[in-house]
Amino acid sequence: MPFEAILFDCDGVLVDSELITNRVLHAMLNEAGWVLSENDCMRTFIGKTVRSETARIEAETGKPLTDAWMAEFYERRNARLRAELVAVDGALDAVRQVHAQLHGNIAVASGADKPKVVMQLEKVGMLPYFGELVFSGHDLPRTKPWPDVYLAAAAAVGIAPQRCLVIEDSVPGLTAGVRAGATVWGYCPRVNAHSTPEQLMAAGATFVFDNMADLPRLLAAANTAS
């Protein structure tokens, strides 16, 4: 069947935010008493919410994970993102093209909090292509790797999940797309990838690509073949 909609993850797929966010989280965890490397921090939290690792954080720091700590994390993270964030190479033009190809049937389904996602999309010039079709796992009963955010995005677009293409770069996110019943393509850039193509395929990706600028061509080829 041809794809009638694309549901995008945000961090690492549309915006180059994950290293920025990880550096803030790494610094704050070390300040709180959990001494770990930036690489270990990335491996622990990639594709997850901070709160999903509450038990681990509290065990490692010996302190409760408070709302005040989370508020400081969001404030410090957002300040760095506003100063440093850029789009993933080729992503803005890819979004513009697939928006036209699919008659506007594109959405963002992120595991991050919605204010962050909206701020990021606005900063890199993508928000007009998504409008209100921006969804966060924070606003649903379960976040990734559960399928709720992709099911919500598909319902809002009005396309059955089986006719949606999901673009993901992490195993938890990819698992969420598969559980939603969508076809999932893995995005694995040549530099600073957080998962290997083999890991993405093992999690259920049907295809893995490494250049976001190729997405419109790949979508057109897939739909022509269908």
Side-chain angles (χ1 to χ4, degrees), residues 62-200:
K63 303 170 186 175
L65 183 64
T66 64
D67 290 344
W69 193 94
M70 288 300 303
E72 182 182 354
F73 167 65
Y74 289 146
E75 182 178 355
R76 288 168 62 171
R77 177 202 67 185
N78 289 354
R80 289 282 297 273
L81 288 168
R82 289 189 187 99
E84 302 173 26
L85 184 73
V86 296
V88 165
D89 285 347
L92 178 56
D93 197 48
V95 165
R96 185 183 297 117
Q97 290 185 56
V98 299
H99 181 272
Q101 286 174 256
L102 296 174
H103 311 290
N105 289 331
I106 63 173
V108 172
S110 175
D113 52 289
K114 187 171 179 178
K116 169 180 179 277
V117 178
V118 171
M119 178 266 287
Q120 293 182 140
L121 295 173
E122 185 172 32
K123 186 175 190 302
V124 300
M126 294 183 193
L127 190 58
Y129 297 99
F130 294 104
E132 297 299 315
L133 297 174
V134 178
F135 300 88
S136 165
H138 284 229
D139 300 329
L140 296 161
R142 304 173 299 181
T143 190
K144 300 174 184 179
W146 301 104
D148 303 38
V149 71
Y150 281 115
L151 293 173
V157 174
I159 304 295
Q162 293 75 17
R163 291 184 175 270
C164 293
L165 174 63
V166 163
I167 308 295
E168 270 284 358
D169 71 325
S170 74
V171 169
L174 202 147
T175 302
V178 171
R179 286 175 170 174
T183 298
V184 186
W185 287 0
Y187 172 61
C188 187
R190 297 172 192 173
V191 179
N192 292 330
H194 306 303
S195 303
T196 66
E198 292 77 16
Q199 288 170 327
L200 296 175

Side-chain angles (χ1 to χ4, degrees), residues 28-30 32-34 56-65 69:
M28 289 189 62
L29 290 173
N30 274 265
W34 182 2
R56 176 89 185 271
I57 293 169
E58 293 180 343
E60 296 285 354
T61 64
K63 303 170 186 175
L65 183 64
W69 193 94

